[in-house]
Amino acid sequence: ALNGLGDVFARQGRLADAEKALAEALDLSGKSLGERHPITMTIMNNLGEILEKEGLYDQAEPILKKAYELSWSALGEKHPTTMARFNNLALLHESQGNFGKAEPLYKNALSFFKNSLGAAHPDAIGVKNNLAYLYMLQNKFDLAEPLFSDVAGRWTEQFGEGHKKTLIGLNNLARVYHKVNKFEQAEALF
């Protein structure tokens, strides 16, 4: 119940309350179910994500690493949940500005999702978007553009033109077009 409450608080933007609820849930779950139980690992990951969103990177990193390592140990290196937690580590490194650490993690997660679930799977598309965004942050527009183009196309196919994800994908692609002076293409997307 506390994990769910933490999720509700997070969706409301009440990150400090979410952190408190998740920390308590993690303590209780760890004591009653053990740290290798899937519920405990999920709560651990959720707490790490909240700490990352709060900018508490030094606190988030060991928790996210532990959630990944426990998932790797319990579920295997190539399990989708393990790879999702791997992606969360990449997001953390990106948030910290450690782009050199984030890029290989994104690439590994993307390769896994594409090879195991297919390029059109939502997890593969999400990681591809994250990698493209990382490139955009580094002004590597030549690398970001084809990835964002693919993401925008796939999200348009899957969700339709007015969906939030589609609009995010199109906006990201338009931003890259603008940065590389492809103004007509950018304007068509805005």
Side-chain angles (χ1 to χ4, degrees), residues 137-149:
L137 291 174
Q138 298 175 84
N139 297 323
K140 295 180 179 179
F141 303 116
D142 58 321
L143 298 174
E145 183 181 336
L147 297 177
F148 276 143
S149 180

Side-chain angles (χ1 to χ4, degrees), residues 3 8 44 58 62 67 74 94 116 124 137 144 146 149 152 155 177-178 180:
N3 186 41
V8 169
M44 186 180 300
D58 291 341
E94 179 184 306
S116 64
L137 291 174
S149 180
W155 279 347
Y177 283 155
H178 183 263
V180 297

Side-chain angles (χ1 to χ4, degrees), residues 35-36 41 44-45 61-77 81-83 85-86 89:
E35 70 176 9
R36 293 176 52 92
M41 290 188 290
M44 186 180 300
N45 182 74
E61 187 167 6
I63 292 172
L64 289 173
K65 278 184 179 178
K66 188 171 185 178
Y68 166 71
E69 290 165 358
L70 288 170
S71 181
W72 186 88
S73 174
L75 303 172
E77 179 182 8
T81 299
T82 303
M83 282 292 106
R85 292 188 177 137
F86 199 64
L89 282 172

Side-chain angles (χ1 to χ4, degrees), residues 1-170:
L2 286 170
N3 186 41
L5 182 60
D7 184 53
V8 169
F9 286 149
R11 290 176 192 269
Q12 294 174 338
R14 297 170 56 188
L15 299 180
D17 292 331
E19 177 189 344
K20 183 178 176 183
L22 290 168
E24 187 176 343
L26 180 60
D27 181 57
L28 293 171
S29 184
K31 287 177 181 173
S32 63
L33 301 173
E35 70 176 9
R36 293 176 52 92
H37 192 279
I39 292 173
T40 305
M41 290 188 290
T42 297
I43 296 169
M44 186 180 300
N45 182 74
N46 294 348
L47 176 58
E49 287 180 339
I50 292 297
L51 292 167
E52 185 264 333
K53 288 177 184 174
E54 290 180 297
L56 302 172
Y57 305 129
D58 291 341
Q59 293 176 45
E61 187 167 6
I63 292 172
L64 289 173
K65 278 184 179 178
K66 188 171 185 178
Y68 166 71
E69 290 165 358
L70 288 170
S71 181
W72 186 88
S73 174
L75 303 172
E77 179 182 8
K78 298 299 182 183
H79 190 279
T81 299
T82 303
M83 282 292 106
R85 292 188 177 137
F86 199 64
N87 180 63
N88 291 342
L89 282 172
L91 286 167
L92 173 70
H93 290 309
E94 179 184 306
S95 296
Q96 293 173 302
N98 294 330
F99 302 144
K101 286 184 176 181
E103 184 177 357
L105 298 179
Y106 281 141
K107 285 181 173 180
N108 189 331
L110 178 58
S111 175
F112 166 77
F113 284 125
K114 281 173 56 177
N115 292 331
S116 64
L117 303 175
H121 190 276
D123 289 338
I125 299 168
V127 174
K128 184 178 283 190
N129 184 69
N130 293 345
L131 179 60
Y133 195 82
L134 178 73
Y135 288 146
M136 186 174 69
L137 291 174
Q138 298 175 84
N139 297 323
K140 295 180 179 179
F141 303 116
D142 58 321
L143 298 174
E145 183 181 336
L147 297 177
F148 276 143
S149 180
D150 185 59
V151 166
R154 290 183 188 275
W155 279 347
T156 300
E157 288 173 15
Q158 289 183 6
F159 301 114
E161 292 182 9
H163 191 275
K164 178 182 176 181
K165 285 193 175 203
T166 301
L167 297 174
I168 289 170
L170 292 171

